[in-house]
Structure formats: structure tokens, C-alpha cells
Amino acid sequence: MKATQLYQAPSHAWLMFGRDEGKPEKIIDTNQYLVKGTGQAVLLDPGGTELFSPMLAAILQHIKLEELTTLFASHQDPDIISSLGLWDKALPDATLHAPWLWEGFIRHFGMNNIKYQGIKDEGGDIRLNDISLKLIPAHYLHSSGNFHVYDPLAKILMSGDVGAALEKTNAPIFVDDFAAHVKHMEYFHRRWMPSNRAKANWIARVRELDIDIMAPQHGRLFKGEAVAEFLEWFAKLDVGIAS
Amino acid sequence: MSDDNIVDSFIRVARIIANLDAILAEAKNLSLTAKNARVVALRAGDSASGFKPITNFIDEFSEQTIKTTTHISTLSNQLFKIALEAVRSTQFDMHVDNAATLTSTSQVVALQHRAKQERQYQTKKLEIALQDLESFFEEINKQMRSAEYIAVTSRVEASNAGEFSDSLQSVSDFIATAAKTIKQSVTVNLNEIHTLRGALH
């Protein structure tokens, strides 16, 4: 599991885990994000069951297990959170922040120890010791109860499935040529994003944020100008089309 | 327990529960038969006087069988939950072992130790639940041996019941068949339990 540091400050750091070479061939490649604060850390979209071992090994290179006090699931899908039943056994005292709408579904992955903190539709925040991460509503993009995570200090938006691209595990970490990258994203966004209205609502909300890095759960990350390029492209894209 | 064994164990638990339904249905039929036999014996009057106490026996053991089977049904449902925990702790143990091949921090070693303890605890719990279930099935087997004895006795009494002889004879036949069916289901379940327990070691 490859680890890439996205941000480093005295208060906290952002690490991205992904491009797992040991990943079984037919499952989708995913990006996991660890925000490491002082004595506390949050794992954003921890990933599927089959990723648990490499994720556990990768995380222990950076933090102690007790420091992982918080998990976040942007929505209910298996590639996001099916590892929950295993984290539940590894973390004796942790909290999962996830949309309130999906509690009854997410619990099917197995949850005896971890506490479920349902996120209200309007959003909220995740507080670690010295920092606060904003939970940005992204409903219907692509799940009916869905959130992204924005860090105002690091200026990073973890954008879940928005900005996702279906690529091989050896793809670079950042988008270097936006026009060339579109072909990896287009079908995914047309098919997995069901509503133009929801999309416009999300774009308006996100345009108000100061973003250096937009970090989706699949594929490459957008940095600097590529963020604005993505928002412009996405605004024009007609979504919710199956054919 | 390997991954294949885990799935196998779940299938075995499901088979046990499906078999239980068959036993319960047969026990309910026995209860109904006892009631019908009592009516026939009453009509037959003095000619079937020897049959009357037999209907009481049939009634008692069918009630007892229903009670035991219902209790086993509760135990079996608990068994699913216990088996699920055993599966999850086994998978967790395997995943942590896998993580230990990727990193050798002291935390992974500690986690490995914890995972193995948890797995042993859950396996033991499953083993105890299976033992309980086994003893209840043996209890049903005893009840069915009594039923077979009653079937033989009732055949003798039925032959003395004149025009009601055929009706009471069919009651005796039904008891014998039901007891045999239940015993067969119990044997299948005991075999399943035996294999399940073997897979835990």
C-alpha cells in the first residue's frame, strides 16, 4: 500500500493510502485518507474488507492504534466501509461518523464496539484535539445520503466519488493533464451521479471553499488549477444518464 | 478454522435448523394423532379400554417432544449468532496475521495475540453451544425409543378393539413411522454437530 503525504503542519498531517499492488484484480482501486492530529487521527473512507490487512499495516507505520479514534464513511458502499467489522475488533474505543440515513445498512458490516455518530443532513464537523474538519453535504452524489470532508487549514476537500476516475493501480497520484484525464472520469460521473440539480447545488457549495487539493476516493487527485478545471467540466456535464 | 470451514459451518448450522422444522412438524402430528386416538378409544368403549392409557402416553411424549424441539429451536437461533461471532473473530485473526507479514511493529504483535485469544474464546463458546444442542438431541432420541415401545404395545391393544381395531392399528403405525422419521432427523443432526465440532479443532 503506497502512502503519500498531502499536507504537513505542526497541528496535523494528511496522508493518502492507495495504489495497492496486492489488490485483487476485479475490485475497484480506492484511496483512503488518514488525518493525523495530535494524539488523535481519523481515517476517511477506510475501504473494503480485503484492504484491511494492508491498511492496518500501513497505518501502524504512522500512528499508534489507540490514536485512531475516529472513522468516517462518506456513504454506505462496500468499497467505502465493508472493513468495518474488522476495524470493530481492532479499535476498542472509536466512533464512526457516517450519514444518519445509512446507519441500519452500515451496521450489517458488523459493529459491536465502535459507536455510530449519525451525521445530520445539513452536515457538521469532526473534531480531533487541535483541528476541526467540516462535513460538507453531497447528497445524491452519488448516494442519497452522502458527505465530503473539508479541512479549512490544509485546504483539502476529500470529495468521495466526485472527481473519481476508473484507472489502473499504477496511475499517477495527481492529475497532470486535465483534458487527457476526462476520458477516465466521464462515464463514471454520467452513470453514478443521478441528478443535475444535486450536482449544481454541490458545485455552488464547493465554489465557496478555498481548495488546494480535491481528493476523490478513486483515481487521481486534483491540485491547484485542476480543481477549478474539474468544477467547470463537471458543471457542464449532463449526469444521470445510463446509456 | 479456515475460510472454507467457516462457510461450511454456517451451512451445517442452517441444515440443523431446517431438520428441526421437520422434527417439530412430526411432533405436532403425533400430538394430533394422540387426540384422535383418544376419541376413537372412547367410541370403542370397553373393547378398547387397554388403549386409553396408551393415548395418554402418546399425548405426553408428543407434548414433551414439542417442548424439547422448541427449546432446541431457540438454541439453534443463538447458535447462528455465536457462529457469526466465531466467523468474524476467525477472519479478524487471519487479517491481522496477514498484516503482520507486511509490518512487524509491536502493535501488530499485540493485536495478533489479542485476535488469537478472541478467536479461541469464540470457538470455545461455539463448542459449548454445540455440546448443549447435542445433549438435547440425545434427549429426543430417548423420547423416540419410548414412542417405538408405545407403538408395539398399542398394536397389541388395537387388535383387541373389535370393529375399531383398524383405526387404532393405523394410530400405532403412525406412531412407529413418526418416531422413525424423527430419529432419522436427529441422527442427521447429530452427525452435522459431530462434523462441526471436528472442524473447530
Side-chain angles (χ1 to χ4, degrees):
Chain A
M1 180 74 67
K2 192 171 177 179
T4 307
Q5 187 168 286
L6 302 177
Y7 176 79
Q8 172 73 62
S11 56
H12 66 297
W14 273 72
L15 287 152
M16 175 253 193
F17 299 96
R19 309 297 188 268
D20 183 22
E21 286 172 1
K23 174 187 84 66
E25 201 188 328
K26 286 199 174 175
I27 61 166
I28 193 165
D29 192 36
T30 52
N31 303 330
Q32 290 69 232
Y33 298 94
L34 181 76
V35 184
K36 178 188 162 189
T38 315
Q40 280 191 320
V42 54
L43 182 58
L44 309 177
D45 285 354
T49 303
E50 61 294 315
L51 270 192
F52 175 77
S53 307
M55 275 303 294
L56 177 65
I59 280 174
L60 288 176
Q61 307 287 331
H62 301 276
I63 57 167
K64 287 180 186 158
L65 205 55
E66 312 82 81
E67 290 178 284
L68 187 53
T69 54
T70 313
L71 301 175
F72 163 79
S74 59
H75 60 287
Q76 81 291 358
D77 278 355
D79 62 318
I80 300 285
I81 190 67
S82 66
S83 58
L84 181 66
L86 297 165
W87 286 112
D88 190 63
K89 295 208 174 284
L91 307 173
D93 189 21
T95 301
L96 169 71
H97 293 256
W100 70 269
L101 190 66
W102 294 121
E103 179 170 0
F105 296 79
I106 286 175
R107 282 185 181 274
H108 278 276
F109 292 127
M111 199 173 163
N112 291 329
N113 297 317
I114 293 175
K115 288 185 281 297
Y116 195 101
Q117 178 70 53
I119 308 166
K120 291 177 187 167
D121 280 344
E122 59 270 29
D125 46 25
I126 292 175
R127 288 172 198 279
L128 301 181
N129 282 338
D130 300 333
I131 56 160
S132 177
L133 304 171
K134 304 285 171 208
L135 297 166
I136 310 292
H139 305 309
Y140 302 100
L141 293 173
H142 67 138
S143 164
S144 48
N146 202 47
F147 290 94
H148 295 164
V149 178
Y150 177 63
D151 180 346
L153 285 174
K155 296 181 184 172
I156 296 174
L157 175 71
M158 198 290 268
S159 60
D161 281 290
V162 177
L166 304 175
E167 284 192 275
K168 291 190 174 160
T169 48
N170 58 1
I173 299 295
F174 289 100
V175 172
D176 47 7
D177 180 346
F178 186 82
H181 188 59
V182 164
K183 64 175 181 290
H184 299 299
M185 303 189 290
E186 194 164 353
Y187 176 73
F188 182 88
H189 286 76
R190 280 189 195 281
R191 186 69 202 260
W192 266 275
M193 308 287 152
S195 158
N196 280 313
R197 195 173 148 202
K199 182 196 73 173
N201 183 296
W202 179 85
I203 291 172
R205 204 188 293 272
V206 167
R207 281 198 200 279
E208 288 177 10
L209 306 173
D210 186 5
I211 301 170
D212 280 349
I213 294 175
M214 191 178 104
Q217 194 236 346
H218 305 288
R220 303 183 205 193
L221 284 64
F222 302 81
K223 198 174 187 178
E225 276 185 20
V227 177
E229 280 182 292
F230 173 80
L231 293 176
E232 260 174 58
W233 170 81
F234 194 35
K236 287 179 196 153
L237 188 75
D238 208 10
V239 300
I241 293 165
S243 57
Chain B
M1 210 171 15
S2 73
D3 246 359
D4 284 349
N5 277 343
I6 290 166
V7 175
D8 224 39
S9 302
F10 259 123
I11 295 169
R12 284 185 198 287
V13 171
R15 275 197 205 125
I16 291 170
I17 289 171
N19 253 330
L20 267 176
D21 279 346
I23 296 173
L24 191 60
E26 210 63 50
K28 281 178 181 166
N29 281 339
L30 269 177
S31 177
L32 200 63
T33 304
K35 286 181 179 76
N36 287 340
R38 185 174 290 121
V39 173
V40 175
L42 273 173
R43 273 201 211 130
D46 286 347
S47 61
S49 57
F51 206 90
K52 280 178 205 157
I54 291 171
T55 61
N56 290 338
F57 276 122
I58 302 169
D59 213 15
E60 263 171 43
F61 84 69
S62 60
E63 287 302 318
Q64 190 59 40
T65 308
I66 290 170
K67 218 182 269 177
T68 315
T69 314
T70 309
H71 186 72
I72 289 180
S73 208
T74 313
L75 275 181
S76 299
N77 288 331
Q78 285 169 359
L79 193 70
F80 257 134
K81 286 181 195 151
I82 296 167
L84 180 62
E85 275 311 307
V87 165
R88 285 190 167 147
S89 60
T90 303
Q91 283 177 336
F92 181 62
D93 185 25
M94 291 192 294
H95 278 278
V96 174
D97 276 348
N98 197 16
T101 64
L102 303 169
T103 184
S104 54
T105 63
S106 58
Q107 283 230 306
V108 162
V109 176
L111 207 54
Q112 263 184 308
H113 180 66
R114 215 175 83 199
K116 290 203 189 315
Q117 274 188 327
E118 168 76 5
R119 178 183 179 159
Q120 275 167 5
Y121 170 74
Q122 294 297 349
T123 308
K124 188 81 198 158
K125 219 169 143 184
L126 183 57
E127 215 169 291
I128 291 168
L130 288 171
Q131 257 171 9
D132 282 354
L133 206 56
E134 196 173 27
S135 62
F136 272 101
F137 279 126
E138 272 156 10
E139 179 61 29
I140 289 196
N141 254 349
K142 271 188 213 159
Q143 286 165 12
M144 289 311 113
R145 278 196 287 274
S146 308
E148 282 171 333
Y149 174 75
I150 289 167
V152 172
T153 318
S154 60
R155 264 196 201 105
V156 176
E157 292 300 332
S159 63
N160 298 324
E163 60 177 305
F164 294 96
S165 176
D166 285 350
S167 302
L168 293 177
Q169 198 69 51
S170 66
V171 168
S172 313
D173 290 345
F174 180 79
I175 296 166
T177 311
K180 196 176 164 193
T181 308
I182 291 175
K183 267 173 76 178
Q184 275 166 351
S185 293
V186 167
T187 306
V188 171
N189 275 357
L190 283 172
N191 284 340
E192 294 287 6
I193 290 173
H194 184 74
T195 316
L196 242 172
R197 285 177 69 185
L200 296 179
H201 295 291

